[in-house]
């Protein structure tokens, strides 16, 4: 082990990828400490269509409340007309025929928002992102205080599943920071930016033209809402991996301040989820990335210099002893 460490120290071309790999590993462990959930998440995101579960057993307990809601909506609509008095529908088919699909969609959206409170994935699942099944959402609530909680992706899964359960076409889409639902009647559950991933019966469809424009805004928004202490752990770990112990203290302090400023720029750039509609809204992420490039660049150059000076000093010492 010691020989391998020494080989890494003496070979810059080997040292750089090893340290970069260390930063990536640290970031994964901090953002996704529950690795089995990360594995499940990656599989599920690869096929959003499979996450829509109209026949999930847990949804049966919502049939009664949802039907009452739709019947109330139909009764209100009938009261505004001059036709025959309202009569209770005999079945779901008759009830849905009395309401336009857009109205059903709007009621399902409000129903999900009322029944599923908003909570970040790292609060519920400890990971930065996690796409749960319908069963997992209900099980999580049952194991806690009974309140259903999820963020945008879990709510979208519930809404799309309910629409499919009622016989309507629905699919999931994402712009890399938000997930919402698309039906023939339109986009709902808070449509975000241009769609990047779209669920289809054949699997996901990737829109490459929008991916590159969504990445900066998604990165800025993710950094803005993610716990600051986790981000500082990643940034601090990267700082320690890049710097050399003999780098002058003033250079280390300067580089640390530049890196911290970059992080704050990026967090401020994504603070408003309704922004990030163009360069004027998400420019801070580029400023933040430039700060990081300057901070790590300064640290790398000065660390390389300190490493060479330490090696030269050691060589002179060895020569003197000889």
């Amino acid at each position: 082990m010691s020989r391998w460490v020494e080989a890494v120290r003496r070979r810059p071309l080997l040292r750089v990828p090893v340290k970069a790999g260390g930063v990536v590993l640290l970031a994964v462990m901090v953002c996704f400490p529950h690795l089995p959930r990360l594995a499940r998440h990656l599989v599920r995101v690869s096929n959003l269509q499979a996450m829509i579960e109209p026949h999930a057993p847990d949804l049966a307990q919502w049939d009664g409340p949802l039907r009452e809601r739709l019947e109330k909506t139909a009764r209100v609509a009938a009261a505004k007309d001059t036709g025959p008095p309202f009569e209770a529908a005999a079945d779901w088919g008759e009830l849905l025929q009395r309401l336009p699909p857009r109205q059903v969609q709007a009621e399902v959206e409000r129903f999900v928002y009322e029944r599923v409170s908003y909570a970040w994935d790292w609060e519920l699942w400890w990971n930065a992102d996690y796409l749960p099944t319908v069963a997992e959402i209900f099980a999580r609530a049952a194991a806690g205080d009974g309140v259903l909680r999820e963020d945008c992706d879990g709510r979208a899964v519930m809404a799309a599943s309910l629409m499919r359960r009622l016989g309507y076409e629905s699919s999931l889409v994402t712009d890399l920071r938000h997930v919402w639902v698309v039906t023939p009647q339109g986009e709902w559950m808070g449509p975000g930016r241009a769609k990047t991933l779209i669920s289809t019966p054949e699997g996901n469809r990737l829109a490459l033209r929008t991916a590159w424009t969504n990445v900066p805004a998604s990165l800025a928004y993710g950094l803005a809402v993610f716990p600051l202490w986790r981000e500082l752990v990643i940034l601090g770990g990267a700082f320690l991996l890049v710097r050399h112990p003999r780098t002058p203290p003033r250079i280390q302090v300067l580089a640390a301040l530049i890196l911290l400023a970059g992080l704050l720029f990026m967090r401020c750039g994504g603070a408003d989820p309704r922004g990030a509609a163009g360069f004027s809204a998400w420019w801070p992420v580029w400023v933040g990335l430039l700060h990081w490039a300057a901070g790590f660049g300064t640290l790398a150059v000065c660390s390389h210099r300190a490493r060479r000076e330490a090696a030269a000093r050691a060589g002179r010492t060895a020569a003197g002893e000889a």
Side-chain angles (χ1 to χ4, degrees):
M1 183 67 178
S2 59
R3 292 181 179 178
W4 186 85
V5 172
E6 186 63 24
V8 171
R9 288 178 177 175
R10 293 185 177 184
R11 298 181 182 179
L13 293 180
L14 182 61
R15 183 169 59 247
V16 171
V18 168
K19 290 194 173 186
V23 174
V24 172
L25 180 61
L26 174 64
V28 170
M29 295 304 298
V30 172
C31 294
F32 302 94
H34 198 293
L35 293 180
R37 285 192 184 129
L38 172 60
R40 292 197 295 269
H41 174 73
L42 294 176
V43 171
R44 292 168 182 177
V45 170
S46 67
N47 187 4
L48 294 174
Q49 182 79 3
M51 297 304 297
I52 304 176
E53 304 176 276
H55 305 297
D58 293 293
L59 289 180
Q61 60 187 283
W62 279 2
D63 286 346
L66 182 57
R67 179 164 180 169
E68 291 178 4
R69 187 187 193 97
L70 294 176
E71 284 184 344
K72 181 180 179 180
T73 301
R75 185 179 296 107
V76 172
K80 297 179 181 179
D81 297 334
T82 57
F86 176 83
E87 294 183 4
D91 53 32
W92 274 106
E94 182 181 344
L95 174 60
L96 296 177
Q97 287 179 357
R98 298 180 181 181
L99 293 170
R102 282 185 177 274
Q103 185 65 49
V104 175
Q105 179 175 290
E107 293 300 330
V108 169
E109 181 178 32
R110 284 191 283 267
F111 184 84
V112 171
Y113 281 151
E114 292 173 2
R115 296 272 171 161
V116 184
S117 300
Y118 195 93
W120 299 111
D121 280 338
W122 49 86
E123 297 173 351
L124 295 171
W125 311 103
W126 196 240
N127 281 6
D129 198 15
Y130 184 63
L131 184 60
T133 62
V134 172
E136 285 177 325
I137 296 174
F138 278 96
R140 186 77 179 184
D145 56 6
V147 177
L148 294 170
R149 294 183 177 88
E150 251 305 314
D151 65 356
C152 62
D153 53 12
R155 284 173 149 188
V157 166
M158 299 289 265
S161 299
L162 282 177
M163 288 298 287
R164 288 271 190 92
R165 190 175 181 85
L166 296 178
Y168 297 96
E169 181 182 345
S170 62
S171 58
L172 298 174
V173 297
T174 178
D175 61 0
L176 303 182
R177 65 171 183 157
H178 179 58
V179 180
W180 66 98
V181 183
V182 171
T183 66
Q185 292 72 43
E187 302 181 11
W188 50 297
M189 299 299 289
R193 292 167 55 87
K195 298 181 283 293
T196 298
L197 280 180
I198 306 169
S199 66
T200 69
E202 294 76 29
N204 289 347
R205 180 166 63 85
L206 175 63
L208 292 176
R209 289 191 303 174
T210 64
W212 75 273
T213 58
N214 284 340
V215 167
S218 302
L219 177 61
Y221 178 66
L223 288 172
V225 298
F226 198 56
L228 178 60
W229 71 267
R230 290 209 204 186
E231 295 170 353
L232 291 175
V233 168
I234 298 173
L235 194 62
F239 174 87
L240 293 176
L241 282 171
V242 173
R243 65 127 200 175
H244 188 276
R246 293 186 179 275
T247 301
R250 64 181 184 280
I251 299 297
Q252 296 190 43
V253 172
L254 176 62
L257 291 176
I258 294 175
L259 294 175
L260 181 59
L263 176 60
L264 295 179
F265 263 109
M266 298 178 77
R267 285 179 65 90
C268 293
D272 183 5
R274 294 167 298 179
F279 182 82
S280 62
W282 46 260
W283 65 265
V285 70
W286 295 114
V287 176
L289 289 174
L290 288 175
H291 274 73
W292 281 0
F296 282 121
T298 300
L299 200 60
V301 170
C302 294
S303 294
H304 178 67
R305 185 178 303 167
R307 189 176 290 107
R308 291 181 60 181
E309 291 176 355
R313 191 180 301 109
R316 290 193 298 269
T317 301
E321 293 178 352

